[in-house]
Amino acid sequence: MSFPRAKAIDDLYEEVAGYDLVVVPDAPLASALNRRIDRPHLGSFAIPPRRLAAGRREEAEDRIAFLELVEQTDIDWKCGAYAIGNILQCWEHNGRLEAILDYDEYADDATRQTVECIAGLETTSQRLTEYRIDDGQDVAVVGDDQLTQLERSILPDDYDAYDTFGEQKFNHPPFHIFDSSTAIVDTVVDAVTEENADDVAVVLDQGSEFSALTESAFEADDIPFYGGPGFVDHPDHRTFVQLLRAAHGGTDTRVGEIRPLLARLDVSLDVEHDEKRLYELDDRELDWIVDFCDRIEDRTFAEALDRFENRADRRLDAFRDELETLGIAHARATERAVDQLVFYLQSYEVPVDRENEGVLLADAKSAAYVDRPVVFYLGLDEDWTHSAPRRPWVDQDAQYTRNIQQFQLLLQSGATQYYLVQDAKGGSPVTPCLYFEELLDEEFERFSDLDSETHTRRFDRSGGGFETEPVDATTKEVSTVSQSSLGTYVNSPRDHFFGRLVDGPDKDYFKEGNLFHDFAEFSIHHPDFVDEDIIDDVVEYILEETRPFVRSVDETTRRTKYRAGLETTVAFFEEKTPVDGEFLTTTSDWGRNVFAERFDRPVDSPITERWFENDDLGLKGKIDLIHSPSRLVDHKSGRRKSASQVVKNSALNPPGDSPNFQALLYLTHWRSQYPDQKLKFTFFHFLETLDDVVAGEVDLDDTLTTVSYYPMPFDEYARSEAFFDELVEDGANNCQKTLSQVAYEDYAAVFDETNLPETTDSDELIDSSFGETLTARMKDCVGDYKYVETGCKQALRQVTRVRGQTFFEDDLDAFEAFVDERLEELNRRRTGEERFPVEGLGGEPNYRYVDNRDLLLEGDR
């Protein structure tokens, strides 16, 4: 639970106070020692090697070298940046600029050219190479094993070394475990004020979510901070870069992909457009963006920036200066040039002027010491582990020692330390920083295995928060539910709740499905009118309507798909003509049909798009087609499911993994209209045979899935003479052979002797009392033969097969009760008597069918 304690700054100062010069590995440590000087001192006292050699604040020499290389040579930017990184790193570890040329695998022409370029620059590494501390000075070196070979090269022959660690042990504070990164940031912000901001530091991985969350939280509470956002993080800089990327994103760029850009440009579009292509969406608010993107290849970066500044009504002088520095301000903003600019901004930190006041934000992988009284450490996970460069000039053991010592020092910074962590993310444990494995003498896999305290969410932020006004409103009771709403609710009540509050984007399959439904309805009413010319027209119309969603390269395959779907629909209604609908009452509102309007022909039959709202049962929906009094048809563009899958997905106790109650709900409603009749519900999957249509071989039966309803309990149906005859005529071989030798009364007697169990598991039924009784009786009637035993098993398998793909009276009765329970439960939750839980009746939701995944928090029930 402990590791070597770092020496207190006051103690360390006492050890080195008498020296002329103190060399330290870290600038914050030097500053801390310098603040404690209690006697007159001429020149530098505590200082890092690079600042000592340079005589000023160190500059980012990799960026300086890159800018020089870009100006002086025509080397590819990425190739040059790679060479610069290798050269400077090898220089750091070997002490010589040309050392990289000793490694044949890296000594290519680009590297040699880059070495020559860097040799002519006045860099900090060059000064380190040439600099040497006067042997006449009395020198102390603190943490000399943390210095690199190049940094050590400036040391005199004679100096005194001091370790940064003492002999005492550091008992680290407990890890404070929170359930989310937001809760961690809230805790930090709650503890910081404008008055104490200068006493606080926050250490985090700048590449993590904590960086943006902490910065935005401090900004929202007007708490000063520094060390955070860089040049490219400036909102306007980032927006301009996003605009350049979007301009070269191609015609498939979706509105949802550039939402942050639109928001920054004050463009407001409904979320329904998110899936649509930018260039195909006709909206005046997008005209400026589309024009900018269309003409980007003809504009220079400076001209593009001018247009952006005029549109945003802001000046970006710093960005313009950086374009000039790179030498591309007057170059055309081609896709390659934009890629190069983005690479530069992502690779190098452009200097920005900062006010060094307020909370210090320190990068966990750069800082080794933080001189603030209070230090918060956020995350402390495996991303805090340094990735040691795997190059032949790097001593891996020495580099690891430097990294872990830096980590030890960092963990002890300040008078008070707070380790704020998460134990799990997305249901998976968070792995602590790998250095803990060596520092802590105990086994662990997650933070909760160590000395820790768990904190629950708090809602007592001191800020005023959003203004609230009391609302005097009554909740309207829900009296009916649709099949889609019921399925969503059963999968996840919380997702159902958010679905009522949050709009979602239009989808291509929604648009296609609606148009196919309209065509199906139209073709039913006007079969003689729909010919090849009409189909051609409809194909082009659907293509035009779906063009905002579809890539231009996919139009040919989409045209084939649409034609196949339309032709299959026409063929289905030619072969299976619906009834005239005289048995139905008409309805007053038929809704809109785009093809009825397009071809100026009515669709006024009561058999299509029949809306129902059954208050007695609490059900509502729209029937695509009433094919006959006993058959309902629903048009589907998705993949076909078998009857057994449909019944399985309609399970109630517990619900299936993919709850879908459409067939069950519609049959339940239709039973109330025709209570004693056998009914059928057919799914017509008009795109299922797409490949066969292209090949010219279509079997319409392959597009259909039919689920039947029998107006009797299942055990009554199973013992019926009709089902017995079906087993005799259509059963498997041994089943037919066995039952054809007995009378129906012998079969029915089995049901009198024992009950038929409720199961769809054939093995369970075979092993049950019912299965044993059936086998015994058949052997008594036919004889104790092997085929009789096999025939009984085949009959029992057929019983479970029918049970698993058919609805019966008890199924629909159970569904009616199920709906009543859900409506009562739903209305309780709507009035606030209880929360809408994330988990559905079947436990954890199937997230593949969740529409508002980002709003469902892990562990929140």
Side-chain angles (χ1 to χ4, degrees):
M1 293 299 293
S2 61
F3 44 86
R5 175 181 287 277
K7 292 178 182 177
I9 294 298
D10 290 335
D11 294 341
L12 193 56
Y13 176 75
E14 288 298 324
E15 291 181 344
V16 300
Y19 288 88
D20 297 330
L21 181 67
V22 180
V23 179
V24 298
D26 192 67
L29 178 57
S31 298
L33 290 172
N34 288 330
R35 280 194 291 269
R36 286 161 174 80
I37 295 177
D38 56 4
R39 59 182 175 80
H41 190 279
L42 182 63
S44 300
F45 174 62
I47 191 168
R50 286 183 170 272
R51 184 168 296 181
L52 177 62
R56 51 180 163 74
R57 185 175 181 178
E58 182 188 355
E59 296 183 5
E61 58 187 357
D62 55 349
R63 175 174 170 271
I64 294 173
F66 179 82
L67 294 175
E68 183 70 16
L69 192 68
V70 168
E71 181 179 354
Q72 300 296 332
T73 73
D74 57 357
I75 292 178
D76 177 77
W77 285 20
K78 290 186 178 181
C79 181
Y82 176 75
I84 289 170
N86 285 333
I87 292 167
L88 294 179
Q89 186 187 88
C90 186
W91 196 354
E92 186 76 37
H93 286 271
N94 283 14
R96 294 184 300 113
L97 168 62
E98 300 83 2
I100 193 169
L101 301 179
D102 297 337
Y103 301 91
D104 293 340
E105 62 269 39
Y106 294 93
D108 54 18
D109 291 339
T111 301
R112 291 189 178 89
Q113 194 172 354
T114 305
V115 167
E116 292 177 5
C117 180
I118 294 177
L121 297 177
E122 189 176 336
T123 62
T124 306
S125 292
Q126 185 64 44
R127 291 200 172 207
L128 271 172
T129 304
E130 299 169 352
Y131 186 84
R132 184 175 177 85
I133 297 173
D134 187 352
D135 288 332
Q137 285 186 287
D138 193 9
V139 178
V141 178
V142 176
D144 64 337
D145 52 354
Q146 295 175 47
L147 301 178
T148 65
Q149 184 67 31
L150 181 58
E151 290 171 331
R152 272 201 198 90
S153 68
I154 72 168
L155 298 178
D157 294 333
D158 186 20
Y159 64 86
D160 295 326
Y162 290 87
D163 197 350
T164 51
F165 298 98
E167 297 182 359
Q168 295 181 331
K169 294 294 184 180
F170 173 71
N171 295 312
H172 69 80
F175 295 97
H176 296 274
I177 297 176
F178 295 83
D179 59 3
S180 69
S181 54
T182 304
I184 290 176
V185 173
D186 281 347
T187 300
V188 175
V189 176
D190 283 344
V192 182
T193 64
E194 287 189 66
E195 291 71 25
N196 67 16
D198 289 332
D199 297 326
V200 177
V202 176
V203 183
L204 43 74
D205 173 16
Q206 286 192 347
S208 71
E209 61 187 340
F210 288 111
S211 183
L213 287 174
T214 303
E215 292 159 14
S216 59
F218 282 157
E219 288 176 350
D221 279 24
D222 293 323
I223 296 173
F225 65 93
Y226 70 97
F231 178 87
V232 76
D233 296 314
H234 186 286
D236 290 326
H237 295 175
R238 186 167 58 245
T239 302
F240 180 60
V241 172
Q242 289 174 338
L243 184 59
L244 292 175
R245 296 297 294 272
H248 293 290
T251 59
D252 194 40
T253 300
R254 311 285 164 155
V255 169
E257 296 171 3
I258 60 170
R259 272 286 173 192
L261 169 62
L262 298 180
R264 192 66 187 169
L265 295 176
D266 296 324
V267 175
S268 177
L269 288 178
D270 290 338
V271 69
E272 67 182 47
H273 299 301
D274 274 7
E275 296 290 332
K276 296 177 182 177
R277 291 190 295 153
L278 171 66
Y279 292 92
E280 294 295 337
L281 185 58
D282 185 14
D283 192 293
R284 291 175 57 187
E285 288 202 78
L286 295 175
D287 288 347
W288 183 90
I289 297 176
V290 172
D291 178 72
F292 180 95
C293 294
D294 280 344
R295 303 185 184 186
I296 189 62
E297 290 275 358
D298 299 326
R299 293 193 175 105
T300 65
F301 281 102
E303 291 169 343
L305 186 57
D306 285 339
R307 283 188 50 83
F308 177 74
E309 288 176 328
N310 292 335
R311 176 67 170 78
D313 194 23
R314 284 182 286 273
R315 295 287 298 173
L316 276 66
D317 293 331
F319 203 104
R320 188 180 305 277
D321 291 343
E322 200 60 26
L323 292 175
E324 293 284 356
T325 301
L326 277 169
I328 62 172
H330 303 292
R332 287 194 306 118
T334 62
E335 183 174 7
R336 181 174 183 274
V338 170
D339 287 342
Q340 287 181 322
L341 173 62
V342 172
F343 169 76
Y344 167 74
L345 294 174
Q346 291 176 340
S347 302
Y348 300 104
E349 187 62 46
V350 179
V352 294
D353 293 330
R354 301 182 188 274
E355 293 292 336
N356 292 344
E357 297 179 353
V359 178
L360 169 63
L361 302 184
D363 184 10
K365 294 182 181 178
S366 299
Y369 180 81
V370 178
D371 187 25
R372 290 292 176 94
V374 178
V375 184
F376 292 95
Y377 301 80
L378 311 189
L380 289 162
D381 55 20
E382 59 185 340
D383 290 335
W384 279 44
T385 308
H386 292 263
S387 298
R390 298 194 175 278
R391 294 290 189 270
W393 51 80
V394 176
D395 184 332
Q396 296 292 322
D397 292 338
Q399 185 65 40
Y400 178 78
T401 298
R402 280 193 289 270
N403 291 339
I404 198 168
Q405 286 183 350
Q406 176 179 317
F407 182 72
Q408 287 177 259
L409 290 170
L410 185 61
L411 290 183
Q412 302 178 51
S413 295
T416 307
Q417 305 88 18
Y418 295 98
Y419 302 164
L420 312 184
V421 302
Q422 288 178 260
D423 201 44
K425 284 184 182 180
S428 300
V430 171
T431 303
C433 179
L434 301 184
Y435 297 135
F436 283 121
E437 293 183 1
E438 182 166 327
L439 296 179
L440 304 179
D441 188 21
E442 57 182 306
E443 293 185 1
F444 62 90
E445 293 183 356
R446 54 200 301 171
F447 287 111
S448 57
D449 296 333
L450 299 166
D451 181 17
S452 59
E453 298 176 10
T454 300
H455 300 265
T456 56
R457 297 179 66 195
R458 296 184 298 117
F459 299 92
D460 57 351
R461 287 287 302 275
S462 57
F466 294 106
E467 293 183 1
T468 60
E469 295 180 4
V471 177
D472 183 15
T474 57
T475 303
K476 184 178 179 180
E477 184 175 291
V478 176
S479 59
T480 57
V481 64
S482 68
Q483 60 89 13
S484 59
S485 181
L486 180 61
T488 301
Y489 180 80
V490 168
N491 185 47
S492 172
R494 184 77 58 85
D495 183 49
H496 166 86
F497 171 70
F498 282 125
R500 306 272 297 183
L501 302 178
V502 181
D503 291 330
D506 285 345
K507 301 286 188 179
D508 59 335
Y509 50 84
F510 288 156
K511 192 72 171 178
E512 289 176 354
N514 289 336
L515 292 172
F516 272 117
H517 274 71
D518 278 5
F519 176 79
E521 181 184 25
F522 182 80
S523 64
I524 289 170
H525 292 81
H526 305 288
D528 296 334
F529 177 76
V530 178
D531 56 17
E532 284 298 315
D533 291 337
I534 295 299
I535 289 179
D536 288 341
D537 185 281
V538 172
V539 168
E540 295 306 316
Y541 181 82
I542 297 178
L543 274 173
E544 183 63 30
E545 289 295 302
T546 58
R547 186 161 283 121
F549 300 96
V550 181
R551 299 183 306 169
S552 56
V553 296
D554 294 331
E555 279 203 9
T556 301
T557 55
R558 290 276 179 155
R559 181 176 280 104
T560 301
K561 169 186 171 181
Y562 296 157
R563 174 172 293 280
L566 299 177
E567 290 178 347
T568 301
T569 300
V570 171
F572 173 72
F573 294 126
E574 286 179 350
E575 182 174 314
K576 303 180 185 297
T577 306
V579 296
D580 55 20
E582 292 181 356
F583 61 94
L584 295 170
T585 58
T586 58
T587 58
S588 58
D589 183 11
W590 299 99
R592 177 174 181 252
N593 185 297
V594 297
F595 298 112
E597 296 175 4
R598 185 172 180 81
F599 300 115
D600 194 21
R601 289 174 177 264
V603 287
D604 53 5
S605 168
I607 66 173
T608 58
E609 301 298 314
R610 176 94 180 184
W611 173 259
F612 67 88
E613 193 154 356
N614 193 325
D615 291 323
D616 293 335
L617 298 178
L619 307 176
K620 63 181 178 182
K622 183 184 286 186
I623 303 170
D624 288 347
L625 172 63
I626 300 173
H627 194 272
S628 70
S630 61
R631 184 191 293 270
L632 307 179
V633 174
D634 192 79
H635 316 312
K636 292 292 184 185
S637 58
R639 296 301 303 270
R640 182 187 179 199
K641 292 182 174 60
S642 65
S644 60
Q645 288 175 303
V646 172
V647 173
K648 181 180 179 181
N649 291 338
S650 302
L652 304 178
N653 188 25
D657 188 49
S658 308
N660 188 315
F661 305 103
Q662 183 175 12
L664 186 55
L665 187 149
Y666 283 34
L667 287 170
T668 300
H669 162 69
W670 206 241
R671 178 180 70 163
S672 69
Q673 312 298 307
Y674 300 91
D676 298 320
Q677 188 167 330
K678 177 184 174 182
L679 306 174
K680 292 185 178 182
F681 189 94
T682 296
F683 292 100
F684 169 42
H685 295 269
F686 50 85
L687 293 177
E688 182 67 21
T689 55
L690 176 60
D691 294 340
D692 295 334
V693 171
V694 174
E697 302 173 358
V698 180
D699 184 348
L700 286 175
D701 288 341
D702 293 338
T703 68
L704 307 178
T705 295
T706 297
V707 182
S708 298
Y709 161 72
Y710 289 90
M712 63 184 70
F714 174 66
D715 56 353
E716 181 179 327
Y717 174 78
R719 70 169 292 162
S720 67
E721 188 167 1
F723 184 65
F724 173 76
D725 292 341
E726 184 179 319
L727 291 174
V728 173
E729 295 173 5
D730 300 325
N733 291 339
N734 289 330
C735 175
Q736 292 185 32
K737 184 176 180 180
T738 300
L739 296 184
S740 64
Q741 300 180 62
V742 303
Y744 165 68
E745 290 74 17
D746 294 318
Y747 170 78
V750 178
F751 291 84
D752 294 329
E753 293 182 33
T754 184
N755 293 326
L756 180 65
E758 281 282 340
T759 181
T760 56
D761 187 321
S762 59
D763 291 334
E764 184 178 335
L765 181 59
I766 290 170
D767 295 335
S768 68
S769 175
F770 182 89
E772 293 174 352
T773 302
L774 175 68
T775 304
R777 177 168 284 274
M778 293 303 103
K779 286 183 176 180
D780 288 343
C781 295
V782 179
D784 189 4
Y785 301 112
K786 182 66 176 179
Y787 77 84
V788 173
E789 183 173 342
T790 301
C792 290
K793 289 181 179 180
Q794 292 173 346
L796 292 169
R797 289 195 179 96
Q798 180 63 14
V799 169
T800 56
R801 190 175 298 114
V802 172
R803 185 72 183 96
Q805 60 187 21
T806 313
F807 292 122
F808 295 90
E809 183 179 78
D810 34 3
D811 296 317
L812 272 59
D813 291 344
F815 182 67
E816 289 185 13
F818 179 81
V819 171
D820 289 341
E821 292 172 3
R822 300 289 74 74
L823 284 172
E824 181 181 345
E825 180 182 74
L826 174 61
N827 284 309
R828 283 200 314 271
R829 290 167 175 169
R830 283 170 56 85
T831 57
E833 294 182 33
E834 58 185 80
R835 298 185 69 192
F836 282 83
V838 173
E839 290 189 344
L841 292 174
E844 183 180 30
N846 184 337
Y847 285 105
R848 289 186 301 150
Y849 300 101
V850 161
D851 295 322
N852 305 283
R853 179 65 181 87
D854 292 344
L855 299 177
L856 306 186
L857 301 180
E858 294 289 346
D860 187 2
R861 301 295 180 245

